[in-house]
């Protein structure tokens, strides 16, 4: 093993001239929220050569270049959703401000050496831009009075987001999988390129039901729970079933987003 490592060092030592330029690592954040900024780095090793240029592309369109021989060395082109902050950018990094939903794409850095080698190397990474819902989903239709045996007719509507959040109903902690109980209204466009999803629930009314709606975008989840209770305490009154709707949990849970 040790012998193999020594051998590698020796070989690399001899091949140094041939290896020249290589990109050691590129770092493009894979998940960003709209409005945030992002730092993309491109780490390279010139191995004795001289840097000619570092160029950055979003979906094959160049937006930034760094050429040490030019004064100033930095140049940028504004693309839709790609705003470069020159002060925070350099030969090894590019800083993007005010990300929008249009900032998503494949970001590539391309590094070239000067003559005589003209070697170049490139690497790329995908950045997705999300707009996570700012509020929990809304449940509607539960406010009306239900009699036992009625069919519940409620909706769960997400807050504005991108992409459209996935919605899920739970009754008393059980995920509703019966397709005939669910009404998929799909996603509707909202201002600023965002989307709102709605899912309906039609289920037989029980004496007490805990309804929960979960809106998820990746690992980010927000939820809303309401409890529907049937009032069966007063049998002699004609209206012996007064449905009392109690909002027990107006709080929404926020489970932090994992950005890796
Ligand atoms: C649920 O949402 C759909 C689509 O927006 C609407 O047509 C329907 O009336 C809503 N139902 C209730 C009970 O709010
Ligand atoms: C149930 O209904 C009766 C008569 O309508 C009423 O007096 C009682 O307060 C109700 N109970 C609850 C828990 O709302």
């Amino acid at each position: 093993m040790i012998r193999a490592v020594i051998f590698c060092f020796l070989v690399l030592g001899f091949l140094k001239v041939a290896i020249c330029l290589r990109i050691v690592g590129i770092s493009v954040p894979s998940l960003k929220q709209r409005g945030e900024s992002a730092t993309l780095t491109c780490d390279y090793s010139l191995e004795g050569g001289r840097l000619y240029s570092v160029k950055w592309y979003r979906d094959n369109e160049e937006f930034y270049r760094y050429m040490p021989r030019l004064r100033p060395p930095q140049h940028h082109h504004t693309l839709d959703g790609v705003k470069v902050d020159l002060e925070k950018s350099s030969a090894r990094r590019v800083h993007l401000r005010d990300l929008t939903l249009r900032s998503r794409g494949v970001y590539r850095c391309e590094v070239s050496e000067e003559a005589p080698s003209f070697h170049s190397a490139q690497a790329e990474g995908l950045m997705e831009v999300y707009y996570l819902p700012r509020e929990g989903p809304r449940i509607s239709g539960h406010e009306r009075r239900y009699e036992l045996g009625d069919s519940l007719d409620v909706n769960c509507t997400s807050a504005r987001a991108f992409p459209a959040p996935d919605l899920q109903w739970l009754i008393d902690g059980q995920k509703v999988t019966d397709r005939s109980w669910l009404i998929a209204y799909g996603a509707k466009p909202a201002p600023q390129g965002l989307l709102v999803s709605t899912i309906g629930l039609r289920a037989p009314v029980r004496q007490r039901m805990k309804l929960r709606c979960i809106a998820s975008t990746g690992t980010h989840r927000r939820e809303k729970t309401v409890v529907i209770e049937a009032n069966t305490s007063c049998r002699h009154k004609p209206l012996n079933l007064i449905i009392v709707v109690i909002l027990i949990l107006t709080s929404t849970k926020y489970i932090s987003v994992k950005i890796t």
Side-chain angles (χ1 to χ4, degrees), residues 117-252:
S117 79
F118 295 115
H119 279 128
S120 75
Q122 50 182 313
E124 61 184 35
L126 173 70
M127 180 164 75
E128 292 279 9
V129 180
Y130 277 41
Y131 181 89
L132 297 173
R134 296 285 190 265
E135 295 122 40
R138 216 159 27 79
I139 294 178
S140 58
H142 61 287
E143 308 90 346
R144 59 162 275 219
R145 258 183 202 182
Y146 289 104
E147 305 263 335
L148 257 187
D150 269 0
S151 176
L152 194 70
D153 185 8
V154 292
N155 275 349
C156 174
T157 305
S158 77
R160 298 179 302 141
F162 186 89
D166 290 322
L167 297 175
Q168 202 180 80
W169 277 112
L170 283 83
I171 299 177
D172 298 330
Q174 292 283 311
K175 187 178 163 185
V176 176
T177 51
D178 190 336
R179 291 264 139 219
S180 64
W181 287 15
L182 299 170
I183 308 154
Y185 290 108
K188 290 212 177 90
Q192 296 170 311
L194 301 175
L195 296 165
V196 161
S197 341
T198 301
I199 190 169
L201 176 66
R202 290 253 175 87
V205 170
R206 290 183 209 151
Q207 206 160 313
R208 186 178 190 279
M209 300 172 90
K210 192 163 133 190
L211 303 180
R212 175 178 297 167
C213 177
I214 301 174
S216 45
T217 306
T219 56
H220 176 270
R221 277 158 57 118
R222 279 177 179 268
E223 58 182 63
K224 173 88 170 188
T225 304
V226 297
V227 171
I228 295 180
E229 264 181 43
N231 178 358
T232 53
S233 63
C234 199
R235 292 255 159 80
H236 60 274
K237 293 263 167 84
L239 205 76
N240 65 346
L241 291 177
I242 296 169
I243 311 296
V244 182
V245 176
I246 307 163
L247 241 71
I248 55 156
L249 255 180
T250 46
S251 67
T252 50

Side-chain angles (χ1 to χ4, degrees), residues 4-56:
V5 171
I6 292 170
F7 176 74
C8 280
F9 269 114
L10 287 177
V11 169
L12 283 178
F14 284 121
L15 291 182
K16 209 171 190 173
V17 183
I19 290 171
C20 295
L21 174 66
R22 67 200 164 92
I23 291 185
V24 180
I26 182 168
S27 134
V28 173
S30 56
L31 186 64
K32 276 284 171 185
Q33 276 204 72
R34 194 180 78 168
E36 286 184 331
S37 50
T39 302
L40 286 59
T41 62
C42 184
D43 227 341
Y44 46 86
S45 155
L46 294 164
E47 306 276 2
R50 284 174 59 141
L51 179 67
Y52 175 67
S53 68
V54 177
K55 293 177 184 171
W56 279 92

Side-chain angles (χ1 to χ4, degrees), residues 91-106:
R92 286 178 196 267
R93 65 165 59 199
V94 60
H95 187 83
L96 306 181
R97 283 185 291 122
D98 308 326
L99 298 179
T100 73
L101 297 178
R102 295 181 182 277
S103 309
R104 86 171 287 283
V106 174

